Amino acid sequence: MSSVTSNSSMRSIYRASIGIRRGFKSFRYTSKPTVVPVNPFDPREDAAILRKAMKGFGTDEKSIIQVLTRRSNEQRLRIAFEFKTLYGKELVSDLKSETSGKFEDLLVALMTPLPQFYAKELHDATAGIGTDEDVLIEVMCTMSNHEINVIKQAYTAIYGTLLEDDLRGDTSGNFKRLMTSLCMGNRSEDFHVDQGKAREDARSLLQAGELRLGTDESVFNAVLCSRSFPQLAAIFQEYQFLTGHDIDDAIKAEFSGDLEKAMRAIVKVVRNKPLFFAERLHKSMKGLGTNDRQLIRIMVTRCEVDLGDIADMFQSKYGETLQSWIEGDCSGHYKKCLLGLLGLY
């Protein structure tokens, strides 16, 4: 990833980051972020605190955590800009040389503009041997049109290829078609619900699935990828009225593998996006070992959006706090930094 060298490129990154955050909030007006922009904000003073924390013998990790977990993504980028202006060094390079392991990974994620961060996650999910379909599903099935389009621009700027081409080259069959449709970033974002059309779509889904031998995946693809989230909620309700059972059960019965996972993810996101991410966080920490990459991705990308809601859903579903799971699963400065993103350090 090339370093930022000019005011104009810095401004464009700010705009993209701000834009992607605004896109996040397009479907939830009452979301509870755990990280909000600090006010008053003095990026030059923050740069000096970080410089002092890393200068000389030893590192003051507490100061690093307290500055970076209490600033928005946009503010962190401004601190990096002031840091380079004052000291002639890249803040990210200094952080990397002073820290290690998962703590380093988390700090680098915090210092990356959100569109570039998502672009890298998607690229790494499709590069090399095998594909991490879970990452593709988590990102592509939860984004608004605006977010997808900003990520696509960042992806091409960094890698010189089109996100759509890389997704298509690395997936197959009906899952490939679903990813391609989502990559268009062309879902209706009309908040008006048309109950008549919802009934029609529910009938179409029934006829494409349960009422025929074999399944017409294209009908499910068209409805799930092009209807607005409020409209989809109405369609799922109509489906329940028509059939007496849930659309989720129908998808489980009709589909399998990654396509089933992706379609069920869309259903979950329509109904309760914080619960979807709470389940992903739980999965990242349960059992032997931790999926740190998933844990970092969700904590970093949702902290300015709805991490408070996600933590509430986590507790109501699993009977334990997200804080207690992080404390039990992670350690050292990595753990403290994650708790900082929850506003608990």
Side-chain angles (χ1 to χ4, degrees), residues 73-335:
N73 187 253
E74 182 201 352
Q75 289 179 329
R76 289 182 216 118
L77 298 178
R78 287 182 61 193
I79 294 165
F81 191 64
E82 292 296 341
F83 192 92
K84 192 170 181 179
T85 303
L86 293 172
Y87 309 113
K89 302 171 81 176
E90 295 282 359
L91 176 54
V92 173
S93 302
D94 273 20
L95 288 168
K96 287 173 85 165
S97 69
E98 293 292 326
T99 59
S100 61
K102 301 302 169 196
F103 180 44
E104 177 193 337
D105 294 342
L106 178 52
L107 292 179
V108 170
L110 287 171
M111 293 307 304
T112 306
L114 275 173
Q116 291 183 17
F117 179 77
Y118 274 119
K120 186 173 191 308
E121 291 295 294
L122 290 169
H123 181 263
D124 291 357
T126 55
I129 299 163
T131 306
D132 190 339
E133 286 87 1
D134 265 8
V135 175
L136 304 186
I137 291 167
E138 182 192 304
V139 177
M140 299 304 295
C141 295
T142 61
M143 297 281 122
S144 69
N145 294 344
H146 176 73
E147 288 158 14
I148 286 170
N149 289 318
V150 169
I151 292 164
K152 277 157 61 175
Q153 287 170 7
Y155 192 96
T156 301
I158 299 164
Y159 301 109
T161 55
L162 295 175
L163 174 59
E164 182 190 330
D165 291 348
D166 287 357
L167 287 175
R168 288 175 65 83
D170 229 63
T171 54
S172 60
N174 291 308
F175 181 64
K176 172 166 93 171
R177 293 190 191 105
L178 186 82
M179 286 294 117
T180 303
S181 294
L182 292 170
C183 196
M184 298 309 291
N186 193 28
R187 178 185 297 285
S188 164
E189 290 186 339
D190 181 2
F191 280 91
H192 169 72
V193 171
D194 185 325
Q195 214 61 45
K197 281 190 177 160
R199 213 164 293 125
E200 272 175 44
D201 278 340
R203 276 200 204 96
S204 299
L205 291 174
L206 183 58
Q207 284 159 2
E210 296 176 62
L211 294 184
R212 59 173 280 159
L213 196 61
T215 309
D216 184 351
E217 292 89 352
S218 66
V219 175
F220 280 82
N221 191 95
V223 171
L224 292 174
C225 295
S226 70
R227 307 300 188 259
S228 73
F229 281 12
Q231 186 68 22
L232 282 172
I235 293 165
F236 301 157
Q237 205 173 24
E238 289 291 341
Y239 193 92
Q240 175 92 37
F241 292 152
L242 277 173
T243 64
H245 57 255
D246 198 78
I247 186 76
D248 191 57
D249 297 328
I251 291 169
K252 271 194 281 189
E254 296 293 324
F255 300 97
S256 61
D258 296 319
L259 183 63
E260 180 202 335
K261 274 195 224 166
M263 287 183 170
R264 292 182 68 201
I266 293 170
V267 172
K268 275 183 189 167
V269 168
V270 165
R271 288 175 166 166
N272 190 334
K273 195 185 272 192
L275 179 59
F276 171 79
F277 283 110
E279 289 172 355
R280 303 275 304 168
L281 282 173
H282 184 260
K283 191 180 173 191
S284 75
M285 292 183 278
K286 78 171 185 183
L288 282 174
T290 306
N291 184 340
D292 293 287
R293 185 146 193 184
Q294 184 169 308
L295 177 57
I296 289 170
R297 182 175 58 250
I298 296 171
M299 294 293 288
V300 168
T301 59
R302 304 312 298 183
C303 64
E304 289 183 62
V305 188
D306 56 0
L307 189 55
D309 299 304
I310 292 166
D312 291 345
M313 284 294 158
F314 191 98
Q315 187 163 2
S316 72
K317 172 143 191 182
Y318 302 108
E320 294 176 279
T321 63
L322 178 55
Q323 176 186 358
S324 70
W325 271 64
I326 289 170
E327 286 172 339
D329 226 58
C330 308
S331 61
H333 300 299
Y334 173 49
K335 173 183 78 177

